[in-house]
């Protein structure tokens, strides 16, 4: 299954046109899946910025506490180096 994921990543990285990326993600992901990914990215960004509590993030962005807790736990289990790399990608 990993080879298939690598193919997806290659296609995404290879597309530089915004509209082409939109088309690809609309083909590959349902609206609900796209929304979930966007929500997770929003949560990770907010958690890494550290300006809001989990409850504030939930209220501000209408994201479930369960999703926020999963993202928070994921960050807690990262090394400091991994967190810095993620910050560089997201922030």
């Amino acid at each position: 299954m990993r080879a298939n994921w690598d193919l997806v990543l290659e296609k995404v990285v290879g597309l530089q046109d915004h509209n082409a990326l939109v088309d690809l993600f609309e083909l590959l992901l349902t609206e609900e899946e796209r929304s979930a990914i966007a929500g997770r990215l929003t949560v990770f960004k907010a958690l890494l910025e550290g300006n809001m509590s989990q409850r504030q993030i939930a209220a501000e962005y209408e994201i479930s506490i369960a999703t926020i807790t999963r993202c928070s736990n994921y960050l807690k289990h990262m090394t400091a180096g991994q967190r810095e790399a993620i910050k560089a990608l997201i922030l």
Side-chain angles (χ1 to χ4, degrees):
M1 191 61 121
R2 182 70 180 159
N4 292 335
W5 182 244
D6 287 342
L7 175 62
V8 171
L9 295 178
E10 287 173 20
K11 293 295 178 187
V12 169
V13 170
L15 294 175
Q16 296 179 353
D17 177 59
H18 180 271
N19 292 331
L21 282 168
V22 169
D23 291 343
L24 180 63
F25 283 122
E26 285 180 350
L27 174 70
L28 297 175
L29 303 169
T30 66
E31 176 60 36
E32 187 174 308
E33 290 165 333
R34 293 189 306 271
S35 179
I37 291 169
R40 285 187 205 114
L41 184 60
T42 298
V43 170
F44 279 119
K45 185 176 183 296
L47 289 171
L48 289 167
E49 287 172 342
N51 299 325
M52 299 169 69
S53 71
Q54 290 187 19
R55 295 210 181 274
Q56 288 171 318
I57 294 168
E60 176 75 20
Y61 300 109
E62 298 179 1
I63 296 172
S64 75
I65 290 291
T67 295
I68 297 165
T69 300
R70 279 192 300 274
C71 292
S72 176
N73 287 338
Y74 190 76
L75 289 173
K76 287 177 188 174
H77 289 95
M78 288 180 164
T79 66
Q82 289 171 322
R83 274 191 303 279
E84 289 305 313
I86 294 298
K87 279 184 181 181
L89 288 173
I90 294 176
L91 301 181

